[in-house]
Amino acid sequence: KERFSWYRFFSTKESPKDRIQLILYKPETKNYNLVSVSLSFLINKNYLYTKFTISMHTTYSQNWNQYELMDAGNGKKLARWGDIVTIRPDRNAYFPTVLSEKEWAIKTDFEFVEETTTSGQWIKRSDAPEEWQIRFGKAILNLKLTNYKHIGIFPEQQTNWEFIQNKVQKDQRVLNLFGYTGASSIIAKINQAEVIHCDSVKNVINWGKENMEASGVEGIKWVLEDALKFAQREVKRGNKYRAVIMDP
């Protein structure tokens, strides 16, 4: 009977296997409601009844020796990328750190100090190079300090890269939308897939080409265009893909 404008669902070890927990939040009253619902439930919208089944599972990444989240807390993350250690702001690190401030300082090569939500500067804490490489399987990825806190990859994509590495096969057509610096595209190309990589930012397209060359592969089709517009045109052209990667 009431409308809730935001919700989050989750499950716990104690939750029955056929049910999930819903957190409902109503901004007008600032009230949170916790409810338990069946995984198969009916939603009524404009007299159209649709049955939805939600299934959830936890996926764990395998150990990757090129990346390590060393510590986090107090709004920051301490992470190792190959041989380089950085400190970067992260609002999700709202808890206390495990290591001391002095231990963080000893380990750090570069720290990004945030000035606004879209700008800041890197502080050099050692003589480490500002550009370096790491590996994921046969892929070689170039990392460097950018004008903002990013350095060229998002390590949480590791699980997706593993999936691509294990599933994509020779000559399958793969479209990577919002492709960024091309790690997923390169991993698919290493498996000899036909890869089309789309991103609207020229700098990251060029960065992706450098990663492709460093990885010793060729033949990725690079498309500098808005991902949605390109996808819509592909539909009109009748082009089909075995896999589409979308992570805006």
Side-chain angles (χ1 to χ4, degrees):
K1 293 182 179 180
E2 292 186 286
R3 288 186 175 273
F4 292 87
S5 59
W6 182 86
Y7 73 89
R8 175 178 296 168
F9 62 84
F10 67 99
S11 64
T12 66
K13 290 182 179 179
E14 293 75 25
S15 302
K17 291 184 179 180
D18 63 338
R19 303 184 73 80
I20 60 171
Q21 314 302 311
L22 280 174
I23 296 179
L24 303 176
Y25 173 57
K26 194 171 184 181
E28 295 85 354
T29 60
K30 297 184 179 179
N31 287 334
Y32 290 87
N33 289 46
L34 175 63
V35 299
S36 177
V37 298
S38 171
L39 289 178
S40 297
F41 59 91
L42 296 178
I43 291 182
N44 178 4
K45 184 177 181 181
N46 296 329
Y47 302 103
L48 175 64
Y49 291 83
T50 308
K51 185 175 182 180
F52 289 85
T53 300
I54 297 177
S55 61
M56 297 185 296
H57 65 276
T58 303
T59 301
Y60 297 95
S61 295
Q62 301 300 312
N63 178 55
W64 179 28
N65 62 10
Q66 297 286 283
Y67 175 79
E68 178 186 1
L69 179 59
M70 303 171 72
D71 196 10
N74 300 330
K76 299 178 182 180
K77 280 185 176 180
L78 180 72
R80 177 182 60 80
W81 318 75
D83 296 325
I84 305 298
V85 176
T86 64
I87 296 176
R88 301 189 301 166
D90 193 313
R91 63 183 181 182
N92 291 317
Y94 51 82
F95 38 81
T97 64
V98 174
L99 303 177
S100 67
E101 186 175 338
K102 182 178 180 180
E103 289 174 299
W104 277 48
I106 292 172
K107 297 175 184 293
T108 303
D109 295 302
F110 301 102
E111 179 176 1
F112 187 84
V113 178
E114 199 170 39
E115 296 170 349
T116 70
T117 56
T118 57
S119 66
Q121 60 179 323
W122 286 98
I123 307 299
K124 195 176 178 70
R125 304 294 189 195
S126 75
D127 294 328
E130 296 184 12
E131 297 186 17
W132 68 102
Q133 294 180 328
I134 64 172
R135 285 181 170 270
F136 182 86
K138 296 180 180 179
I140 297 176
L141 307 172
N142 295 288
L143 305 185
K144 57 187 174 184
L145 308 181
T146 67
N147 292 333
Y148 193 46
K149 63 181 180 179
H150 303 303
I151 62 173
I153 64 167
F154 294 94
E156 65 271 17
Q157 292 295 318
Q158 178 194 345
T159 301
N160 294 332
W161 297 341
E162 291 167 354
F163 183 87
I164 295 166
Q165 192 175 55
N166 295 330
K167 298 293 185 180
V168 171
Q169 299 176 16
K170 182 179 180 180
D171 297 330
Q172 289 181 337
R173 301 193 78 216
V174 176
L175 173 60
N176 187 9
L177 298 171
F178 316 96
Y180 194 46
T181 57
S184 295
S185 299
I186 292 161
I187 293 164
K189 193 62 189 178
I190 288 172
N191 283 13
Q192 302 181 55
E194 180 185 347
V195 181
I196 292 84
H197 174 109
C198 180
D199 200 284
S200 62
V201 181
K202 187 175 182 180
N203 287 344
V204 297
I205 288 280
N206 292 335
W207 196 336
K209 291 178 180 178
E210 294 171 1
N211 286 338
M212 179 183 70
E213 293 171 3
S215 300
V217 294
E218 58 184 14
I220 295 174
K221 181 181 178 182
W222 303 93
V223 179
L224 179 60
E225 193 172 347
D226 177 81
L228 178 58
K229 292 179 180 178
F230 178 74
Q232 289 171 334
R233 276 194 280 273
E234 287 292 88
V235 171
K236 291 180 179 178
R237 289 187 282 253
N239 290 333
K240 296 182 180 181
Y241 295 87
R242 182 65 182 85
V244 179
I245 303 165
M246 292 184 291
D247 186 15

